[in-house]
Amino acid sequence: MKYNINLFGNNFDCELHVQDNDLSITLDEDNQKAIKSYLSRVLQKYTEVNISEKNSLELMVTKAIQVEKNLGSRMSEPKLKLPYEFAPETKEKLIECANIQETSATQLLIRLIDQKYHEVMNNN
């Protein structure tokens, strides 16, 4: 079953599998890259350990769980002020899409740019 799950303060599409009363969650490769990129940015705010996309996804998820347990709440991505303006209709669409995905417009834009970056870099 397809489902949207909130992991560490960000939403990701996943597949839920139930077999013999066991539940497992699977993220596709693009969403794994997106969560890895997201955690590499977010964990910098909460840890003294140098985290980058070169670290394993397992290490990053483990560290994120530890941080959220210590915080007693969700982590949040550092706020960025984008250095350019959008046309009003584009900005409205971005905000509408972000609201549907229950995230900020900035986080959605960062996610879209990150996905496109990985797509371009993997094709070269």
Side-chain angles (χ1 to χ4, degrees):
M1 298 172 269
K2 290 190 183 276
Y3 190 71
N4 189 282
I5 189 167
N6 187 305
L7 294 173
F8 313 112
N10 205 350
N11 292 316
F12 294 94
D13 294 325
C14 67
E15 286 278 334
L16 297 178
H17 305 278
V18 180
Q19 184 175 7
D20 300 326
N21 286 328
D22 288 328
L23 173 68
S24 64
I25 300 171
T26 304
L27 293 172
D28 67 23
E29 189 176 334
D30 289 339
N31 280 326
Q32 287 182 42
K33 288 177 185 175
I35 195 168
K36 195 170 183 182
S37 176
Y38 173 76
L39 289 176
S40 71
R41 290 188 308 273
V42 174
L43 285 172
Q44 297 300 323
K45 178 179 173 182
Y46 296 97
T47 66
E48 296 172 7
V49 178
N50 188 16
I51 301 288
S52 73
E53 285 191 64
K54 294 178 182 172
N55 294 109
S56 72
L57 181 58
E58 181 179 4
L59 172 72
M60 294 171 118
V61 168
T62 301
K63 192 67 178 166
I65 290 169
Q66 290 172 351
V67 167
E68 285 195 344
K69 280 183 181 177
N70 290 337
L71 281 176
S73 66
R74 295 254 184 235
M75 295 183 291
S76 63
E77 191 161 6
K79 301 292 181 205
L80 298 174
K81 178 73 176 162
L82 299 175
Y84 48 85
E85 291 293 322
F86 291 104
E89 59 274 1
T90 303
K91 190 173 186 177
E92 288 173 16
K93 289 177 185 175
L94 181 63
I95 291 169
E96 183 180 348
C97 289
N99 287 336
I100 290 169
Q101 295 188 22
E102 298 177 1
T103 189
S104 73
T106 302
Q107 286 178 329
L108 178 60
L109 189 57
I110 289 169
R111 187 172 175 191
L112 291 169
I113 291 168
D114 192 52
Q115 286 173 347
K116 185 52 96 174
Y117 170 81
H118 286 292
E119 181 182 312
V120 168
M121 294 308 289
N122 287 336
N123 288 336
N124 289 335

